[in-house]
Amino acid sequence: MAHLEDLKSKGVRNVSVHAETLRALASPATLAPSRPAVVDSGSPVLPKTTPRPTQVMAMPKRLITSMVTPSKLAAHARIVSAYSDKAAAFNELQTRVLVCLKCASLASSRTNVVFGVGNIDSPLMFVGEAPGADEDAHGEPFVGAAGQLLTKIITAMGVSRAEVYIANILKCRPDTPGESSGNRKPTLAEMATCIPYLHEQIDLIKPKVLVALGATAVEGLLGKTVGITKLRGNWQTYRGIPLMPTYHPAYLLRNQAMSEKRRVWEDMLQVMEKLEMNITLKQRGFFQQATA
Ligand code: URA
């Protein structure tokens, strides 16, 4: 038990357990329903929040079985239960958000609520402004042109889109009455109404690093209206979590200068360093101006 508690206190999220142990966990009615506790979904690139328990895996079957005590099983069940609780809390939050009617005009004009997407155990979370037309149509953040660029940036960092979590300040597309297309910035009232949902998402995910994409994301999370040009590249803190402000990918679509891409990339390199990710020389050199 002490061993598992110790692992838990060090942030270990998954534990390799012998098949017999799993069977034992599944049978008593008092234990939590099991989750795929031994699946390690950690990224090959993001530092593992779950070090592989190689020591246990290397041990002979007889020895492992003899080490399993009821107290260890109970501790393991508590860990498993904590993770099911997190997923359940996230589902409950999503259920509430999907039927939100707090902004009457947005609720009536939207096609979908855009809750968020990705790995709820990720150490890395991106926050944008609000869904656009594509996101409203698909119910997923950052799937339009700006989103595709964001996905490229994430991929260049060596991780997949599915390994991070992506959400917005606003969960509904800001309406543009009388116009057939176009986007508008969320109003302060809309942001104040919707931001508690994002706070709840962040509280549950507990990312190690937040990336705020653009001025509205910074304003929503930090209440700062300082220009993004001044803030980007400089670590901020959101409720104790390091937050990196950077340009919104839509800005990079409007301004194709290599220097601007490099700025965003330098911000991402800082994020990768903070997460102790492996950074190759090739990655360090992305978007550098060609010299002579
Ligand atoms: N821009 C955003 O800020 N969020 C999205 O989801 C899409 C575009």
Side-chain angles (χ1 to χ4, degrees):
M1 173 158 168
H3 172 64
L4 284 170
E5 292 290 9
D6 183 41
L7 284 177
K8 188 183 168 193
S9 72
K10 287 176 180 148
V12 173
R13 295 177 171 208
N14 300 315
V15 187
S16 274
V17 181
H18 190 269
E20 284 171 28
T21 312
L22 278 180
R23 271 197 296 281
L25 272 172
S27 49
T30 49
L31 295 182
S34 71
R35 205 178 118 98
V38 292
V39 174
D40 182 355
S41 61
S43 155
V45 181
L46 284 178
K48 288 197 191 320
T49 47
T50 311
R52 282 181 188 279
T54 45
Q55 209 186 356
V56 172
M57 289 175 81
M59 285 186 189
K61 182 178 165 185
R62 216 166 3 100
L63 188 51
I64 296 171
T65 311
S66 71
M67 286 167 60
V68 175
T69 63
S71 61
K72 281 183 184 174
L73 282 179
H76 181 252
R78 279 201 297 280
I79 294 171
V80 170
S81 169
Y83 285 95
S84 329
D85 288 351
K86 177 175 177 178
F90 217 79
N91 282 342
E92 185 277 326
L93 171 61
Q94 180 163 11
T95 305
R96 261 188 290 133
V97 175
L98 292 185
V99 296
C100 179
L101 298 173
K102 288 182 187 170
C103 303
S105 67
L106 303 194
S108 64
S109 62
R110 75 189 175 209
T111 308
N112 283 297
V113 172
V114 181
F115 177 69
V117 71
N119 176 6
I120 64 169
D121 292 324
S122 182
L124 178 55
M125 178 166 175
F126 291 83
V127 177
E129 178 176 309
D134 292 316
E135 290 75 22
D136 176 59
H138 289 92
E140 182 172 331
F142 283 100
V143 291
Q148 284 162 30
L149 180 52
L150 175 64
T151 303
K152 278 189 190 163
I153 294 169
I154 293 168
T155 309
M157 295 168 81
V159 283
S160 73
R161 183 178 157 100
E163 287 173 293
V164 303
Y165 198 85
I166 307 173
N168 282 309
I169 299 287
L170 240 59
K171 310 301 187 212
C172 293
R173 182 177 187 222
D175 57 348
T176 48
E179 292 169 37
S180 57
S181 63
N183 294 318
R184 71 163 170 83
K185 191 177 167 332
T187 65
L188 286 180
E190 287 164 348
M191 285 166 67
T193 304
C194 207
I195 199 78
Y197 293 140
L198 181 62
H199 291 163
E200 283 191 63
Q201 285 175 301
I202 298 173
D203 285 349
L204 285 167
I205 295 171
K206 298 190 185 3
K208 291 207 167 83
V209 171
L210 282 160
V211 176
L213 300 162
T216 305
V218 172
E219 188 176 346
L221 285 170
L222 304 178
K224 287 192 180 174
T225 51
V226 186
I228 187 71
T229 313
K230 285 220 175 88
L231 273 189
R232 66 138 285 276
N234 297 299
W235 284 109
Q236 308 289 313
T237 307
Y238 164 88
R239 299 190 189 187
I241 302 171
L243 180 150
M244 175 55 68
T246 195
Y247 290 138
H248 193 286
Y251 167 75
L252 293 182
L253 292 177
R254 291 194 301 273
N255 185 341
Q256 300 269 343
M258 185 75 100
S259 56
E260 300 305 87
K261 290 185 182 135
R262 176 68 195 178
R263 286 197 171 101
V264 170
W265 184 244
E266 281 171 4
D267 301 344
M268 295 308 103
L269 286 173
Q270 286 202 63
V271 167
M272 292 165 77
E273 277 164 10
K274 183 74 84 186
L275 289 170
E276 297 175 17
M277 289 167 67
N278 179 41
I279 307 179
T280 63
L281 273 177
K282 189 174 168 194
Q283 281 174 315
R284 289 209 181 272
F286 283 168
F287 308 113
Q288 244 151 6
Q289 304 277 11
T291 45

